[in-house]
């Protein structure tokens, strides 16, 4: 089964080692620019899995490609990041990236509920800063409600990054075939991820 995983801001394949061993992993900003995503997945099929910023990008720019997949799974999606996370805090992160980027990323991982000790590559600082600027400005306002049978929306009930109100805005416009609300934070466990794919 072909699996494509579109990660989130500062995501790392080491966060999901089993999945990374079998899936095509696309990481925004450090691996591709937002406008490149439609072309990157245009020939793909099987399962389209995404997390947070990646889920936002798919809703905004790749909705027309959803029918070619057996499953589309969006974890912690949002229409605008600032629906959940105040712009002033994102700007504080941008300022921090200029001083101590490793600390900013480590703090973000902690708020995600990340349990792995992930190394930070300083060379990614410009790309990650660009990603934060994107999160301030990028927004998607659908023109109408869309029902998508092969869509699963996932939101951890303890998510501190994409909070409930931002997830509810997605549900106002997209009626999925399935909604899953695991008892976790922003990052869901790899076991839950694999169960979602198998389902």
């Amino acid at each position: 089964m072909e699996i494509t995983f579109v990660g989130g801001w500062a995501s790392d394949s080491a966060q999901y080692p089993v999945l990374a061993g079998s899936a095509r992993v696309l990481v925004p900003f450090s691996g591709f620019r937002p406008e490149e995503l439609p072309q990157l997945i245009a020939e793909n099929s099987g399962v389209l899995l995404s997390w947070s910023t990646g889920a936002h990008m798919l809703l905004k720019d790749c909705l027309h490609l959803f029918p070619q997949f057996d499953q589309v799974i969006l974890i912690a999606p949002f229409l605008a990041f600032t629906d959940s996370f105040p712009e002033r805090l994102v700007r504080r992160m941008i300022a921090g990236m200029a001083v101590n980027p490793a600390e900013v990323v480590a703090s973000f991982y902690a708020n995600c509920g990340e349990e792995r000790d992930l190394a930070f590559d300083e060379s990614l600082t410009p790309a990650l800063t660009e990603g934060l600027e994107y999160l301030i400005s990028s927004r998607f306002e659908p023109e109408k409600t869309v029902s998508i049978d092969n869509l699963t929306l996932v939101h951890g009930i303890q998510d501190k990054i994409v909070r409930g109100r931002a997830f509810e805005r997605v549900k106002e416009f997209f009626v999925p075939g399935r909604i899953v609300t695991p008892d976790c934070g922003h990052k869901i466990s790899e076991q839950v991820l694999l169960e979602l794919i198998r389902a």
Side-chain angles (χ1 to χ4, degrees), residues 25-97:
V25 178
L26 303 172
V27 181
F29 309 109
S30 60
F32 69 88
R33 298 184 62 79
E35 62 271 18
E36 296 172 332
L37 185 56
Q39 185 176 355
L40 287 172
I41 67 168
E43 303 300 323
N44 292 27
S45 59
V47 177
L48 178 60
L49 176 68
S50 63
W51 179 23
S52 193
T53 299
H56 168 73
M57 291 177 171
L58 288 177
L59 285 175
K60 183 178 179 182
D61 299 319
C62 302
L63 199 57
H64 63 290
L65 298 173
F66 284 12
Q68 72 193 41
F69 293 90
D70 296 325
Q71 286 190 78
V72 178
I73 303 170
L74 305 183
I75 302 161
F78 52 85
L79 300 182
F81 190 60
T82 51
D83 286 343
S84 171
F85 209 80
E87 179 177 336
R88 62 181 172 77
L89 295 183
V90 184
R91 293 206 178 277
R92 187 181 301 169
M93 290 175 70
I94 291 171
M97 292 296 288

Side-chain angles (χ1 to χ4, degrees), residues 152-168:
T152 298
L153 296 179
V154 183
H155 185 245
I157 60 176
Q158 299 180 48
D159 194 335
K160 297 178 182 177
I161 305 296
V162 176
R163 297 181 185 273
R165 61 181 175 271
F167 184 68
E168 290 299 321

Side-chain angles (χ1 to χ4, degrees), residues 12 51 54 100 114 122 140 175:
D12 188 311
W51 179 23
N100 191 338
E114 176 59 64
E122 293 266 352
F140 178 44
V175 181

Side-chain angles (χ1 to χ4, degrees), residues 96-166:
M97 292 296 288
V99 179
N100 191 338
E103 183 178 320
V104 172
V105 173
S107 176
F108 176 74
Y109 285 156
N111 284 326
C112 286
E114 176 59 64
E115 296 178 350
R116 294 177 184 273
D117 185 14
L118 301 172
F120 175 67
D121 181 352
E122 293 266 352
S123 70
L124 298 180
T125 301
L128 294 179
T129 302
E130 178 187 348
L132 292 171
E133 295 283 3
Y134 171 90
L135 287 172
I136 289 173
S137 62
S138 182
R139 43 197 18 88
F140 178 44
E141 293 291 343
E143 295 180 357
K144 60 181 180 179
T145 300
V146 182
S147 181
I148 308 176
D149 291 340
N150 68 339
L151 175 63
T152 298
L153 296 179
V154 183
H155 185 245
I157 60 176
Q158 299 180 48
D159 194 335
K160 297 178 182 177
I161 305 296
V162 176
R163 297 181 185 273
R165 61 181 175 271

